[in-house]
Amino acid sequence: MKLFHTADWHLGKLVQNVYMTEDQAYVLEQLLRDIETEKPDAVIIAGDLYDRAVPPTEAVQLLNRILKTVVVDLRTPVLAVSGNHDSPSRLNFGSDIMKSAGLHMCGEFDCAFEPVVLRDEFGPVHFYLVPFADPATVRHALQQEDISSYDDAMRAVVERIKPRMSPGARNVFIGHAFVTKGGGAEPNTSDSERPLAIGGAEHVSSAHFGCFDYTALGHLHQAHHVGVETVRYSGSPLKYSISEEKHDKGYLIVELDKDGKATFTKKPLAPLRDMRTVEGYIEEIERQERSDDYIYVRLLDELPVLSPMERVRAVYPNAMHVGQNSVLQHLSGSAEQAEGGGKAGMDMLSLFRSFYKDAKGADVSEETEQLFLQVLREIDREEGERHEAHQADDDGVRAV
Amino acid sequence: MKLFHTADWHLGKLVQNVYMTEDQAYVLEQLLRDIETEKPDAVIIAGDLYDRAVPPTEAVQLLNRILKTVVVDLRTPVLAVSGNHDSPSRLNFGSDIMKSAGLHMCGEFDCAFEPVVLRDEFGPVHFYLVPFADPATVRHALQQEDISSYDDAMRAVVERIKPRMSPGARNVFIGHAFVTKGGGAEPNTSDSERPLAIGGAEHVSSAHFGCFDYTALGHLHQAHHVGVETVRYSGSPLKYSISEEKHDKGYLIVELDKDGKATFTKKPLAPLRDMRTVEGYIEEIERQERSDDYIYVRLLDELPVLSPMERVRAVYPNAMHVGQNSVLQHLSGSAEQAEGGGKAGMDMLSLFRSFYKDAKGADVSEETEQLFLQVLREIDREEGERHEAHQADDDGVRAV
C-alpha cells in the first residue's frame, strides 16, 4: 500500500504579517499533481491543517478546494486528524457525512478508536486516527485518573487501541504530538511550532508506537524519524519561520509491503518563494540580484544604516526583516539584533553613554541621561501594551 | 414528493445575552422525530443555518449532529443554502464531498445553476439552490451590469435558470431573500431579521417565481405565503425576538403531486421555553405562577419599582427584560419604556423639571439643571462609545 504522509499545512498562516496562502496553494498544487501521477492508496494529513481555530476564509476555500480535488476528482481517500492549531469541533464538522466519500477527518478526540480500514491486494490496513488532545481531555474521555502528562495520555491511548488491533491487519497510527526518543527533551524545534506545555511535559516517548507498522506524525516541522525508522514526521510543506531555513521541505511516500514493512521516499516540494537569511554590508546587498524570496537580512555595517528596509526592498521586495549590527541598534534592546556586536551585554545606559561619547566627543549630561531613561521607559511601556493586546487577540482564536 | 421546508435556524443566536442553543436543540429534536415518522423525500433549509459567520463551537456541534442524523442515520437528503447571516465560504466547506452522501449545501453563490435532482414515482424534481447574495456579487458573477437592486439580481438569476429548466421535471426554487408581493415594502418584519439594505431596495418581487412549482424561502421569520400559495416562508423554528411573540413557530410539509401541484401542512414545534410579554403591577406579577419562559415584563406601576429584575426573576427566572412605566423611567430616554406614559414626547429637561417639581414641590435651580444636563451628556457619550464598540465586535464576524 502506497501512502502519502504530510502534515502541518498551517493554512491561514501569517509570517511577519504576510499571508502564506499563495505560497501554500503553490506547494499543494504540486502535491495534487503527484497524487495524480503516483496514485497513492491514501493521503495522510497529520494535523495542523489550519494555523488557527478560526482561519480566514481564503484558508477555508483553499483547504476545501484541495480536499475536494483529492477525494472527489482523484478518488483518493484522505485520513486527517486535527492538530493543536486546529479547532477540534470546527474541523470535525461534516466528518460523518464525508466518510462515505473517502474523507476521514478526525477532529474531536473520541475514545472509540474505531480504525479506518483500507485494503490493497495483500489485505486490510487499519488506520488509527488520534487527533491532538491535551492530558485533561484524554483523562476525561478515558476516565483514567492517572493521566497527567502528554506521555501518560499517549500511553493510555495506545493501551486502549492494542486489544482492538486485528492480528491479520497491518496497522498505522496517525497522530499529532511532540514525540521524542524515550520522551526526552530535544533542542531541534522551530519557532513556528507552538509549545504544547511549559517545561518538558509535552514530550511523548516514541517507544509507545512499537505495535504499529507505521506511525505518521505531525507537529514538528522538520522531516525526521524518531528512534526507529517507522515513527516519522513528514515535516511541513513550507518553511514557516526563519528557524526552518535549513529544512528540506516536502512530504513522504511510505510503502507498506504485505508484511507491513515500510520503505520511505522523501519527496521535495519547491516553494514559490524560499525563506532564507542574507548577511552582508548594505552596499553589497544592493548589488545582489533581485529576488522575490522571503529574506531575513542581517546587516554587518558598523554604522547605522538609515531606512534599511526601504533600501533592502529595492532588491528583495519580500524581505521580511532587517537586523542591524550597529551600536544604535543595541540601544533598541533587541537581543537578536545585538548578536555579534562588540558591545553586546552592556546595559542601555552604558551603551548610550558610549555612543554619545563616540558621536559628540564629550560625556553625556545628567539632564540628557534622565531624558534618555524617560524615553526608554516609555518605549518599554508601549511595547508591553502592544504585546498584551497581541496576546489577547491571539487567545480569542486559538484552541490551545 | 414529500418535502420538509424549514429555514432561519440561527444556531449560535444570543437573545439578550442568552444563548438559544438548548432551545434550538429541543425543537430540532422534534424535527428529527418527525423526519423519522413522516419519512420526507428531502429536507429543505432555506438559509441562516447559523446566526453569524463564525458561530460558537456549540452551534457547529449542534448543526453537525443534526445534519449527520438526517443524512447518515435517517438517509434523508438535505438541500440547504446560506442566508445573509451565514459565511458563504465556511458553510460551503466540504460541500462537494458531502453531495454524494446526500447533503447538498450551497454556500457560495455560483452561476452554474445546476439543479439537484431527486426522483419519486412520478419522475424527477429539480431543485435550484440559490444562496443569499448581494446585488454586487450577482452582478459580478453574472457579468451583467444592469443589476443594482436585490430585485434586479433575483430577476437575472431566474432568467438564467429558465432556459435550463427541463420541461418534463417539476421545479423547486430554494432561496433566501426578502420577497414581497410585487416587490413592495411590507411592515410585518421582526427585530431579529437583519435588514439586507437600507430603504426598500432589499425587496424582491414574488412575481419572479412564477415558473417554479414551489418556492421555498428563508429570511422572514413568520410563516406565510407571498402573493400565491406556492411562494412560501416556513418561518423560523423558534421565536428570536419579542416582536415574534404572536408567531406560530414550526415548519412546513409540502407535497408535490405528479403534476407539481403543491399542498401544504403547517407543523408546529413546541418550544422548551416560550417567549412572551407579561404586563401588570409588580405585586400582581409576584403572585403569578413560576414560569421558565423568556418573559418581557412591562410594569404598570406609576411609582418606580426598585430592583425590578430581581423581583421579577423570583417568579420568572428567565425574564429577559423589565420595562417600567413610571416617570423616573422616562428620564432614561428609552422610547419603549416611555410608551403609554402621559409624559411621553416631553424632552429630557422638561421631564426632569416636571419630576423635580412633583418630588420636591419647588422649581429646579439653574445650577441643578446644569448638573443634570452635564450628566445627560456623559451618559450619551458613554452609550455612544459602547454602541461603537459593540458595532466593531459585530462587524468582525458578520457576513453582511
Side-chain angles (χ1 to χ4, degrees), chain A residues 50 54-57 60-61 63-64 67-68 71-72 89-90 92-98 100-101 103 108, chain B residues 50 54-57 60-61 63-64 67-68 71-72 89-90 92-98 100-101 103 108:
Chain A
Y50 291 126
V54 179
T57 54
V60 175
Q61 290 169 326
L63 184 61
N64 184 48
L67 292 179
K68 184 251 177 187
V71 171
V72 179
S89 43
R90 292 181 203 279
N92 209 56
F93 184 83
S95 56
D96 286 309
I97 301 171
M98 297 191 281
S100 61
L103 176 56
E108 290 176 328
Chain B
Y50 290 125
V54 180
T57 53
V60 174
Q61 290 169 325
L63 185 61
N64 184 48
L67 292 178
K68 184 253 178 186
V71 171
V72 179
S89 43
R90 292 181 204 279
N92 209 56
F93 184 84
S95 55
D96 287 308
I97 301 171
M98 297 191 282
S100 60
L103 176 55
E108 290 177 327

Short mmCIF file of all heavy atoms in Angstrom, two decimals, chain A residues 50 54-57 60-61 63-64 67-68 71-72 89-90 92-98 100-101 103 108, chain B residues 50 54-57 60-61 63-64 67-68 71-72 89-90 92-98 100-101 103 108:
data_model
loop_
_atom_site.label_atom_id
_atom_site.label_comp_id
_atom_site.label_asym_id
_atom_site.label_seq_id
_atom_site.Cartn_x
_atom_site.Cartn_y
_atom_site.Cartn_z
N TYR A 50 -5.04 23.84 9.57
CA TYR A 50 -5.13 25.30 9.66
C TYR A 50 -4.13 25.80 10.69
O TYR A 50 -3.69 25.05 11.56
CB TYR A 50 -6.53 25.71 10.12
CG TYR A 50 -7.64 25.47 9.12
CD1 TYR A 50 -8.76 24.72 9.48
CD2 TYR A 50 -7.60 26.02 7.84
CE1 TYR A 50 -9.81 24.53 8.58
CE2 TYR A 50 -8.64 25.84 6.95
CZ TYR A 50 -9.75 25.09 7.32
OH TYR A 50 -10.79 24.90 6.44
N VAL A 54 -10.08 29.65 14.07
CA VAL A 54 -10.96 30.29 13.09
C VAL A 54 -10.09 30.87 11.99
O VAL A 54 -9.63 32.01 12.08
CB VAL A 54 -11.82 31.39 13.74
CG1 VAL A 54 -12.71 32.05 12.70
CG2 VAL A 54 -12.67 30.82 14.87
N PRO A 55 -9.83 30.07 10.96
CA PRO A 55 -8.94 30.53 9.90
C PRO A 55 -9.65 31.53 8.99
O PRO A 55 -10.88 31.57 8.95
CB PRO A 55 -8.63 29.24 9.13
CG PRO A 55 -9.76 28.32 9.43
CD PRO A 55 -10.31 28.70 10.76
N PRO A 56 -8.90 32.37 8.27
CA PRO A 56 -9.54 33.29 7.32
C PRO A 56 -10.23 32.52 6.20
O PRO A 56 -9.88 31.37 5.92
CB PRO A 56 -8.36 34.12 6.78
CG PRO A 56 -7.14 33.35 7.09
CD PRO A 56 -7.43 32.49 8.27
N THR A 57 -11.20 33.16 5.55
CA THR A 57 -11.99 32.44 4.54
C THR A 57 -11.12 31.93 3.39
O THR A 57 -11.41 30.88 2.83
CB THR A 57 -13.13 33.32 3.98
OG1 THR A 57 -12.58 34.55 3.52
CG2 THR A 57 -14.17 33.60 5.03
N VAL A 60 -9.99 28.58 4.32
CA VAL A 60 -11.10 27.62 4.26
C VAL A 60 -11.34 27.22 2.80
O VAL A 60 -11.51 26.04 2.48
CB VAL A 60 -12.38 28.24 4.88
CG1 VAL A 60 -13.57 27.30 4.71
CG2 VAL A 60 -12.15 28.56 6.36
N GLN A 61 -11.32 28.22 1.91
CA GLN A 61 -11.55 27.93 0.50
C GLN A 61 -10.43 27.08 -0.09
O GLN A 61 -10.69 26.16 -0.88
CB GLN A 61 -11.68 29.25 -0.28
CG GLN A 61 -12.99 29.98 0.04
CD GLN A 61 -13.03 31.40 -0.50
OE1 GLN A 61 -12.01 32.09 -0.55
NE2 GLN A 61 -14.21 31.85 -0.90
N LEU A 63 -8.39 24.92 1.55
CA LEU A 63 -8.48 23.54 2.05
C LEU A 63 -9.64 22.81 1.37
O LEU A 63 -9.52 21.65 0.98
CB LEU A 63 -8.66 23.50 3.58
CG LEU A 63 -8.66 22.09 4.18
CD1 LEU A 63 -7.35 21.36 3.92
CD2 LEU A 63 -8.94 22.13 5.68
N ASN A 64 -10.76 23.52 1.21
CA ASN A 64 -11.92 22.93 0.56
C ASN A 64 -11.57 22.46 -0.86
O ASN A 64 -11.89 21.34 -1.26
CB ASN A 64 -13.05 23.97 0.51
CG ASN A 64 -14.33 23.40 -0.06
OD1 ASN A 64 -14.76 22.33 0.34
ND2 ASN A 64 -14.91 24.09 -1.02
N LEU A 67 -9.02 19.40 -0.77
CA LEU A 67 -9.64 18.14 -0.33
C LEU A 67 -10.64 17.64 -1.37
O LEU A 67 -10.72 16.44 -1.64
CB LEU A 67 -10.33 18.33 1.02
CG LEU A 67 -9.40 18.57 2.22
CD1 LEU A 67 -10.21 18.77 3.50
CD2 LEU A 67 -8.41 17.42 2.41
N LYS A 68 -11.40 18.58 -1.96
CA LYS A 68 -12.36 18.18 -2.99
C LYS A 68 -11.62 17.53 -4.17
O LYS A 68 -12.05 16.49 -4.69
CB LYS A 68 -13.14 19.42 -3.46
CG LYS A 68 -14.22 19.12 -4.47
CD LYS A 68 -13.87 19.63 -5.85
CE LYS A 68 -14.90 19.26 -6.87
NZ LYS A 68 -14.50 19.61 -8.24
N VAL A 71 -10.26 14.00 -2.99
CA VAL A 71 -11.26 12.99 -2.64
C VAL A 71 -12.24 12.74 -3.79
O VAL A 71 -12.52 11.59 -4.14
CB VAL A 71 -12.03 13.42 -1.37
CG1 VAL A 71 -13.21 12.51 -1.10
CG2 VAL A 71 -11.08 13.43 -0.17
N VAL A 72 -12.75 13.82 -4.39
CA VAL A 72 -13.79 13.66 -5.42
C VAL A 72 -13.16 13.44 -6.80
O VAL A 72 -13.49 12.48 -7.48
CB VAL A 72 -14.74 14.88 -5.44
CG1 VAL A 72 -15.80 14.73 -6.53
CG2 VAL A 72 -15.39 15.08 -4.07
N SER A 89 -13.81 20.94 16.98
CA SER A 89 -15.20 20.81 16.54
C SER A 89 -15.43 21.44 15.18
O SER A 89 -16.27 20.97 14.41
CB SER A 89 -16.17 21.37 17.57
OG SER A 89 -15.70 22.58 18.08
N ARG A 90 -14.70 22.51 14.86
CA ARG A 90 -14.89 23.11 13.52
C ARG A 90 -14.34 22.17 12.44
O ARG A 90 -14.94 22.02 11.38
CB ARG A 90 -14.22 24.47 13.44
CG ARG A 90 -14.90 25.51 14.31
CD ARG A 90 -14.28 26.90 14.22
NE ARG A 90 -14.59 27.66 15.40
CZ ARG A 90 -15.75 28.29 15.63
NH1 ARG A 90 -16.69 28.29 14.71
NH2 ARG A 90 -15.97 28.93 16.75
N ASN A 92 -14.13 19.05 12.67
CA ASN A 92 -14.93 17.82 12.70
C ASN A 92 -16.24 17.93 11.93
O ASN A 92 -16.87 16.93 11.61
CB ASN A 92 -15.25 17.48 14.16
CG ASN A 92 -15.42 16.01 14.38
OD1 ASN A 92 -14.52 15.23 14.07
ND2 ASN A 92 -16.58 15.61 14.88
N PHE A 93 -16.64 19.18 11.63
CA PHE A 93 -17.95 19.41 11.01
C PHE A 93 -18.11 18.58 9.73
O PHE A 93 -17.28 18.64 8.82
CB PHE A 93 -18.16 20.89 10.69
CG PHE A 93 -19.54 21.16 10.14
CD1 PHE A 93 -20.62 21.32 11.00
CD2 PHE A 93 -19.77 21.17 8.77
CE1 PHE A 93 -21.90 21.53 10.50
CE2 PHE A 93 -21.05 21.38 8.26
CZ PHE A 93 -22.11 21.56 9.13
N GLY A 94 -19.18 17.83 9.66
CA GLY A 94 -19.48 17.06 8.45
C GLY A 94 -18.70 15.77 8.32
O GLY A 94 -18.86 15.05 7.33
N SER A 95 -17.86 15.45 9.33
CA SER A 95 -16.96 14.31 9.14
C SER A 95 -17.70 12.99 8.95
O SER A 95 -17.28 12.16 8.14
CB SER A 95 -15.96 14.22 10.29
OG SER A 95 -16.65 14.15 11.52
N ASP A 96 -18.81 12.82 9.65
CA ASP A 96 -19.56 11.57 9.49
C ASP A 96 -20.21 11.47 8.11
O ASP A 96 -20.46 10.39 7.61
CB ASP A 96 -20.65 11.47 10.57
CG ASP A 96 -20.06 11.15 11.92
OD1 ASP A 96 -19.27 10.20 12.00
OD2 ASP A 96 -20.37 11.88 12.88
N ILE A 97 -20.52 12.65 7.55
CA ILE A 97 -21.15 12.67 6.23
C ILE A 97 -20.11 12.46 5.13
O ILE A 97 -20.38 11.85 4.10
CB ILE A 97 -21.90 14.01 6.03
CG1 ILE A 97 -22.96 14.19 7.13
CG2 ILE A 97 -22.53 14.09 4.64
CD1 ILE A 97 -23.61 15.55 7.18
N MET A 98 -18.88 12.93 5.38
CA MET A 98 -17.85 12.86 4.35
C MET A 98 -17.13 11.51 4.27
O MET A 98 -16.48 11.21 3.28
CB MET A 98 -16.85 14.01 4.55
CG MET A 98 -17.54 15.37 4.40
SD MET A 98 -16.42 16.79 4.33
CE MET A 98 -16.03 16.99 6.04
N SER A 100 -18.20 8.52 3.80
CA SER A 100 -18.59 7.62 2.71
C SER A 100 -17.95 8.06 1.39
O SER A 100 -17.77 7.25 0.49
CB SER A 100 -20.11 7.58 2.58
OG SER A 100 -20.60 8.88 2.30
N ALA A 101 -17.59 9.35 1.28
CA ALA A 101 -16.94 9.81 0.06
C ALA A 101 -15.43 9.63 0.13
O ALA A 101 -14.73 9.86 -0.86
CB ALA A 101 -17.28 11.29 -0.18
N LEU A 103 -13.37 10.97 2.77
CA LEU A 103 -12.64 11.93 3.61
C LEU A 103 -12.84 11.53 5.07
O LEU A 103 -13.94 11.66 5.61
CB LEU A 103 -13.10 13.36 3.37
CG LEU A 103 -12.44 14.43 4.28
CD1 LEU A 103 -10.93 14.39 4.17
CD2 LEU A 103 -12.94 15.83 3.95
N GLU A 108 -12.44 15.74 16.63
CA GLU A 108 -12.60 15.69 18.09
C GLU A 108 -12.08 14.39 18.65
O GLU A 108 -12.31 13.32 18.08
CB GLU A 108 -14.09 15.88 18.44
CG GLU A 108 -14.55 17.30 18.15
CD GLU A 108 -16.04 17.52 18.38
OE1 GLU A 108 -16.83 16.58 18.19
OE2 GLU A 108 -16.41 18.65 18.75
N TYR B 50 -26.79 29.32 10.58
CA TYR B 50 -26.13 29.92 11.73
C TYR B 50 -26.58 31.37 11.89
O TYR B 50 -27.06 31.99 10.94
CB TYR B 50 -24.61 29.92 11.53
CG TYR B 50 -23.95 28.57 11.58
CD1 TYR B 50 -23.17 28.14 10.52
CD2 TYR B 50 -24.07 27.74 12.68
CE1 TYR B 50 -22.51 26.91 10.56
CE2 TYR B 50 -23.42 26.51 12.74
CZ TYR B 50 -22.64 26.10 11.66
OH TYR B 50 -21.98 24.89 11.72
N VAL B 54 -19.00 33.37 12.02
CA VAL B 54 -18.19 32.46 12.84
C VAL B 54 -19.00 32.10 14.08
O VAL B 54 -18.95 32.80 15.09
CB VAL B 54 -16.84 33.10 13.23
CG1 VAL B 54 -16.03 32.14 14.08
CG2 VAL B 54 -16.05 33.48 11.99
N PRO B 55 -19.80 31.04 13.98
CA PRO B 55 -20.65 30.67 15.11
C PRO B 55 -19.84 30.03 16.23
O PRO B 55 -18.73 29.54 15.99
CB PRO B 55 -21.60 29.64 14.49
CG PRO B 55 -20.88 29.10 13.31
CD PRO B 55 -19.93 30.15 12.83
N PRO B 56 -20.36 30.04 17.45
CA PRO B 56 -19.65 29.37 18.55
C PRO B 56 -19.58 27.86 18.31
O PRO B 56 -20.40 27.31 17.58
CB PRO B 56 -20.49 29.69 19.79
CG PRO B 56 -21.81 30.12 19.28
CD PRO B 56 -21.61 30.66 17.90
N THR B 57 -18.62 27.20 18.95
CA THR B 57 -18.43 25.77 18.67
C THR B 57 -19.67 24.95 19.02
O THR B 57 -19.94 23.95 18.35
CB THR B 57 -17.21 25.19 19.43
OG1 THR B 57 -17.34 25.51 20.80
CG2 THR B 57 -15.92 25.77 18.91
N VAL B 60 -21.77 24.85 16.03
CA VAL B 60 -21.17 23.99 14.99
C VAL B 60 -21.44 22.53 15.32
O VAL B 60 -21.83 21.73 14.46
CB VAL B 60 -19.65 24.25 14.89
CG1 VAL B 60 -18.99 23.28 13.93
CG2 VAL B 60 -19.38 25.70 14.48
N GLN B 61 -21.28 22.18 16.61
CA GLN B 61 -21.52 20.80 17.02
C GLN B 61 -22.99 20.41 16.87
O GLN B 61 -23.30 19.30 16.44
CB GLN B 61 -21.07 20.61 18.48
CG GLN B 61 -19.55 20.67 18.63
CD GLN B 61 -19.09 20.75 20.07
OE1 GLN B 61 -19.75 21.36 20.91
NE2 GLN B 61 -17.96 20.14 20.37
N LEU B 63 -25.26 21.74 14.71
CA LEU B 63 -25.60 21.58 13.29
C LEU B 63 -25.02 20.27 12.76
O LEU B 63 -25.67 19.53 12.02
CB LEU B 63 -25.10 22.77 12.47
CG LEU B 63 -25.51 22.72 10.99
CD1 LEU B 63 -27.02 22.74 10.81
CD2 LEU B 63 -24.88 23.87 10.19
N ASN B 64 -23.79 19.98 13.17
CA ASN B 64 -23.14 18.75 12.73
C ASN B 64 -23.96 17.52 13.13
O ASN B 64 -24.20 16.63 12.32
CB ASN B 64 -21.74 18.67 13.36
CG ASN B 64 -20.95 17.47 12.87
OD1 ASN B 64 -20.90 17.21 11.68
ND2 ASN B 64 -20.38 16.73 13.80
N LEU B 67 -27.42 17.41 11.12
CA LEU B 67 -27.24 17.04 9.72
C LEU B 67 -26.79 15.59 9.58
O LEU B 67 -27.25 14.87 8.69
CB LEU B 67 -26.24 17.97 9.03
CG LEU B 67 -26.68 19.42 8.86
CD1 LEU B 67 -25.58 20.25 8.21
CD2 LEU B 67 -27.96 19.52 8.01
N LYS B 68 -25.89 15.17 10.48
CA LYS B 68 -25.43 13.77 10.44
C LYS B 68 -26.61 12.82 10.66
O LYS B 68 -26.75 11.82 9.95
CB LYS B 68 -24.37 13.57 11.53
CG LYS B 68 -23.73 12.18 11.53
CD LYS B 68 -24.21 11.36 12.70
CE LYS B 68 -23.64 9.97 12.68
NZ LYS B 68 -24.21 9.12 13.74
N VAL B 71 -28.92 12.97 7.42
CA VAL B 71 -28.34 12.47 6.18
C VAL B 71 -27.84 11.03 6.31
O VAL B 71 -28.12 10.18 5.46
CB VAL B 71 -27.20 13.41 5.72
CG1 VAL B 71 -26.43 12.80 4.56
CG2 VAL B 71 -27.76 14.77 5.36
N VAL B 72 -27.11 10.75 7.41
CA VAL B 72 -26.49 9.43 7.54
C VAL B 72 -27.45 8.43 8.18
O VAL B 72 -27.71 7.36 7.65
CB VAL B 72 -25.17 9.51 8.35
CG1 VAL B 72 -24.54 8.13 8.52
CG2 VAL B 72 -24.19 10.47 7.67
N SER B 89 -18.38 30.96 2.44
CA SER B 89 -17.30 30.00 2.23
C SER B 89 -17.16 29.01 3.37
O SER B 89 -16.79 27.87 3.16
CB SER B 89 -15.97 30.70 1.95
OG SER B 89 -15.80 31.78 2.82
N ARG B 90 -17.47 29.45 4.60
CA ARG B 90 -17.39 28.49 5.71
C ARG B 90 -18.49 27.44 5.61
O ARG B 90 -18.27 26.27 5.87
CB ARG B 90 -17.47 29.22 7.06
CG ARG B 90 -16.25 30.08 7.33
CD ARG B 90 -16.29 30.78 8.69
NE ARG B 90 -15.45 31.96 8.65
CZ ARG B 90 -14.12 31.94 8.80
NH1 ARG B 90 -13.51 30.81 9.03
NH2 ARG B 90 -13.42 33.05 8.72
N ASN B 92 -19.83 26.49 2.93
CA ASN B 92 -19.59 25.73 1.70
C ASN B 92 -18.56 24.62 1.88
O ASN B 92 -18.46 23.73 1.04
CB ASN B 92 -19.09 26.70 0.62
CG ASN B 92 -19.48 26.24 -0.76
OD1 ASN B 92 -20.65 26.04 -1.03
ND2 ASN B 92 -18.49 26.06 -1.62
N PHE B 93 -17.79 24.69 2.98
CA PHE B 93 -16.68 23.75 3.17
C PHE B 93 -17.17 22.30 3.08
O PHE B 93 -18.09 21.90 3.77
CB PHE B 93 -15.98 23.98 4.51
CG PHE B 93 -14.79 23.09 4.69
CD1 PHE B 93 -13.57 23.45 4.16
CD2 PHE B 93 -14.91 21.87 5.32
CE1 PHE B 93 -12.47 22.62 4.29
CE2 PHE B 93 -13.82 21.03 5.46
CZ PHE B 93 -12.59 21.40 4.93
N GLY B 94 -16.52 21.54 2.23
CA GLY B 94 -16.83 20.12 2.12
C GLY B 94 -18.06 19.82 1.30
O GLY B 94 -18.44 18.65 1.15
N SER B 95 -18.69 20.85 0.73
CA SER B 95 -19.99 20.61 0.08
C SER B 95 -19.88 19.64 -1.10
O SER B 95 -20.77 18.81 -1.30
CB SER B 95 -20.64 21.93 -0.34
OG SER B 95 -19.77 22.66 -1.16
N ASP B 96 -18.78 19.73 -1.85
CA ASP B 96 -18.65 18.82 -3.00
C ASP B 96 -18.44 17.38 -2.53
O ASP B 96 -18.76 16.44 -3.24
CB ASP B 96 -17.47 19.24 -3.88
CG ASP B 96 -17.80 20.50 -4.66
OD1 ASP B 96 -18.85 20.52 -5.31
OD2 ASP B 96 -17.01 21.47 -4.60
N ILE B 97 -17.84 17.25 -1.35
CA ILE B 97 -17.56 15.90 -0.82
C ILE B 97 -18.84 15.32 -0.21
O ILE B 97 -19.08 14.11 -0.27
CB ILE B 97 -16.43 15.97 0.23
CG1 ILE B 97 -15.15 16.55 -0.44
CG2 ILE B 97 -16.15 14.60 0.84
CD1 ILE B 97 -14.03 16.87 0.54
N MET B 98 -19.70 16.18 0.35
CA MET B 98 -20.89 15.69 1.05
C MET B 98 -22.06 15.39 0.13
O MET B 98 -23.00 14.71 0.52
CB MET B 98 -21.28 16.70 2.14
CG MET B 98 -20.17 16.83 3.20
SD MET B 98 -20.62 17.75 4.69
CE MET B 98 -20.51 19.41 4.11
N SER B 100 -22.38 13.41 -2.39
CA SER B 100 -22.65 12.01 -2.69
C SER B 100 -23.36 11.33 -1.52
O SER B 100 -24.07 10.34 -1.71
CB SER B 100 -21.34 11.28 -3.01
OG SER B 100 -20.46 11.36 -1.90
N ALA B 101 -23.19 11.87 -0.31
CA ALA B 101 -23.88 11.29 0.85
C ALA B 101 -25.28 11.87 1.01
O ALA B 101 -26.05 11.41 1.86
CB ALA B 101 -23.07 11.53 2.11
N LEU B 103 -25.99 15.39 1.31
CA LEU B 103 -26.07 16.74 1.86
C LEU B 103 -25.70 17.73 0.76
O LEU B 103 -24.54 17.79 0.33
CB LEU B 103 -25.15 16.92 3.07
CG LEU B 103 -25.10 18.35 3.65
CD1 LEU B 103 -26.49 18.86 4.02
CD2 LEU B 103 -24.21 18.39 4.88
N GLU B 108 -21.69 29.17 -1.40
CA GLU B 108 -21.22 30.31 -2.20
C GLU B 108 -22.06 30.47 -3.46
O GLU B 108 -22.41 29.49 -4.12
CB GLU B 108 -19.75 30.09 -2.57
CG GLU B 108 -18.85 30.22 -1.35
CD GLU B 108 -17.38 29.94 -1.62
OE1 GLU B 108 -17.07 29.09 -2.50
OE2 GLU B 108 -16.54 30.56 -0.95
#
